[in-house]
Each structure stands twice: as structure tokens, then as C-alpha cells.
Amino acid sequence: MFNALVLDRVDGRITPVVRQLDDQQLPDGGVTVAVEYSSVNYKDAMIIHGLGGMVRSYPHIPGVDFAGRVTESHDDQWRVGDPVVLTGHRVGESRFGGYAQRARVPGDWLIRLPDGMTTRTAMALGTAGLTAMLSVHALEHQGLTPDGLPVLVTGATGGVGSVSIMLLHRLGYTVHASTGKTESHGYLCSLGATEIIPRNELSKPPTKALDKQTWAGCIDSVGGETLAHVLSRTAERGAVVTVGLTGGDTLATSLTPFLLRGVNLLGIASASCPAERRLSAWHRLAEILLNDKLERITRTVGLADLPEVAKAFLAGNAHGRTVVDVNA
């Protein structure tokens, strides 16, 4: 038997309850993992409260990522005791996820933890950390270097934003951060941001198709009018990575930044990222971010805390990273 946060749908309402299950209730898969930690992402918060239509079948175990150790394997890639991490592959959406003490998945979905990285640190990074690292890789692939104009991070107090600021700072970039939370300015500067851009400066349509060249690149988790505004102020041959849509899923903009400045708009689909790119990103995260700064922006909760934690995420009252100790 093991504990899990189980979502039930009763009369159209989603109810989250910590419940005991047994291994026979897990889905088919070649590898069973004793989960040690998971994390909370915005998508998790939506799923816990039945938003977004991502879950089609109930009862359901949410949690889009997890880290732990293999307890049973029918896949030659894995042996009992191997430390592993999983993100994406629609785990926690179309398949039982990481808010449980056990998980069973195909072996090809797992990534071996890099040397020196604990399962807790892996979930302090989680899907947000992987997405941030893939975003930095994408900017570098487009030719961005630390000696150019600053790089902007929007939605900066969220998980992707916070990790992105730390990564860019450690790599030597000048980082600007955008937020609407004035009380978080000190927090963002402690991560490495040198200038704070008020959210309302960016959350309105651009006044010009081509405005002042302010940023060499951007990691944007907001979308909507913020993304359109940022594109108008991105420098020649610059790049903007889009990783979220908290400000809207539509983009009304001019083609001028793309045609006259050669600006690149890049999407990051971390959930379906190929295994070799995932592995490369996890190893680079281990090289750059195994430090106490990551720990300072991370808090730990238990399974029973998740419904209230999810409410805070949906209300915009969360920042940094939240790790879930499934054994607490």
C-alpha cells in the first residue's frame, strides 16, 4: 500500500483526497519507482482544481514530475536502486503522476539523475528548471552571448522565471526581470536581476512596431500583449523564447520585428523534449545550479498541503519553487 493524492470527480466537482492505494492500481509500464519528491507547477495547480480540461478520466493522481529510485524493472536500461527523474510525457495529465509514493512508467521516459544531484534537488528544479535550461540553450543556439544587451525574464517570480534568472546570472548575462509584485524586487535582485521592469510597462500593446532595442533576448512566460511588447523592443538578431501564457494565449503583433530586425520567436515544448536533449539539460543544471541559492527559493510541503498550495498558485501568490515530500 502507498499514499497518493487522488482526484475524484463528483457531480462535476473535483475533490482532492490523500488515499491509500496498492501497486495493482498503477498503470502498465516497465519500471516502478518509489517516489521521494515531486514539485508544484502552474499546470499542477490547474489540474488539482479541475481547470484546463487536461484530465479526461477519474479517479486520477496528478503531479507532472517526480524523482525517486527504481524498485522494479522489466527494462534493461534500469536496475533496482537507480536514481531517476521524470518530467513531461503527459504524466500527471493523461497518466497517473508524481503525487504518490509509487509510480509506474515506460523506462524510456526516465532520466538518470546526474552525479551529485539528489532527488530533492531534482524536484527543486523540476519541470520549471528543465524548461529554463532548455530556454537558455535555445537563446545560446541563436547566438546570444553575455557581452551583449541584457536578457529579459517575464513572469519572473514564478518557477521558470526564478530559475532562468539564476541560470542567466551564473552564465554572466545581465538580467532584467519583469513582475507586478513590488514586494518581490529584493527577491529577484538576490537571484541576479540588475533591473526590475514593472509588469504594467509591458502588459499593453506596443506603441511602435519597432521600438528602442532594449534586450538581446527574453524568456517569456506571460504571452499575450506582453510578448507583443517585448518583440517590438528586442534587438536586431535577438531571440525571444516563449514558455507560458499566463497573460493570454493569443499574439497580436506586427511582422516587422521578424522581417526588419531578424528577431527569432522560439517555442519550448519541454513535455515532449527528446531524451538526449533532456539528459544534456539535466547535466548542465547539475553543473550550474547545485548551490544554496536554489535551496533558498525552495519550500517543502506534503501531499495533504497540495489543495491549498494550488489555490495560492492560481491566485498568483506563489514564487520560487515548491517541492512535495510525498513521504511527509
Side-chain angles (χ1 to χ4, degrees), residues 35-310:
V35 178
E36 296 174 4
Y37 295 98
S38 185
S39 71
V40 183
N41 303 280
Y42 193 82
K43 183 185 289 186
D44 296 310
M46 293 178 66
I47 289 171
I48 287 173
H49 289 285
L51 304 177
M54 289 174 276
V55 178
R56 302 297 176 86
S57 178
Y58 293 88
H60 178 69
I61 300 173
V64 302
D65 50 20
F66 63 78
R69 296 182 183 275
V70 173
T71 60
E72 183 181 5
S73 176
H74 301 284
D75 186 316
D76 291 341
Q77 300 174 83
W78 304 107
R79 296 179 181 275
V80 172
D82 284 345
V84 294
V85 60
L86 181 142
T87 61
H89 298 287
R90 298 206 65 201
V91 167
E93 300 177 51
S94 63
R95 188 182 182 95
F96 282 4
Y99 292 164
Q101 293 171 321
R102 293 283 188 278
R104 185 176 292 141
V105 295
D108 288 343
W109 294 3
L110 296 169
I111 295 293
R112 189 180 305 276
L113 276 188
D115 291 342
M117 181 180 286
T118 66
T119 53
R120 186 182 184 282
T121 299
M123 288 297 96
L125 293 164
T127 291
L130 175 65
T131 302
M133 190 74 259
L134 292 172
S135 299
V136 171
H137 281 173
L139 292 175
E140 291 175 334
H141 184 72
Q142 292 299 321
L144 268 69
T145 58
D147 56 357
L149 287 172
V151 177
L152 174 68
V153 177
T154 68
T157 61
V160 176
S162 295
V163 178
S164 295
I165 292 169
M166 289 192 294
L167 285 171
L168 291 164
H169 175 68
R170 287 293 298 273
L171 291 169
Y173 290 86
T174 300
V175 186
H176 291 179
S178 173
T179 183
K181 303 174 182 177
T182 56
E183 71 279 6
S184 297
H185 289 191
Y187 165 80
L188 296 173
C189 290
S190 74
L191 301 183
T194 60
E195 185 171 334
I196 308 300
I197 311 297
R199 178 193 297 158
N200 59 12
E201 180 181 321
L202 303 179
S203 59
K204 53 191 175 184
T207 56
K208 304 175 184 177
L210 292 180
D211 212 328
K212 180 181 178 181
Q213 300 186 46
T214 309
W215 302 293
C218 173
I219 298 176
D220 172 59
S221 60
V222 179
E225 291 181 341
T226 294
L227 177 54
H229 192 117
V230 170
L231 287 167
S232 73
R233 295 172 64 180
T234 301
E236 186 173 355
R237 306 297 171 188
V240 176
V241 178
T242 175
V243 298
L245 39 73
T246 59
D249 62 356
T250 60
L251 178 61
T253 188
S254 167
L255 293 177
T256 309
F258 309 111
L259 299 177
L260 296 187
R261 284 187 180 164
V263 171
N264 296 278
L265 180 60
L266 311 169
I268 301 295
S270 65
S272 58
C273 178
E276 61 273 15
R277 290 180 58 198
R278 289 174 187 268
L279 188 60
S280 173
W282 277 108
H283 277 277
R284 198 165 182 210
L285 282 167
E287 294 171 2
I288 297 173
L289 279 190
L290 292 187
N291 56 52
D292 59 352
K293 186 174 286 188
L294 176 63
E295 183 61 33
R296 289 201 300 271
I297 71 164
T298 302
R299 62 170 178 156
T300 303
V301 301
L303 291 175
D305 302 317
L306 284 169
E308 289 303 314
V309 170

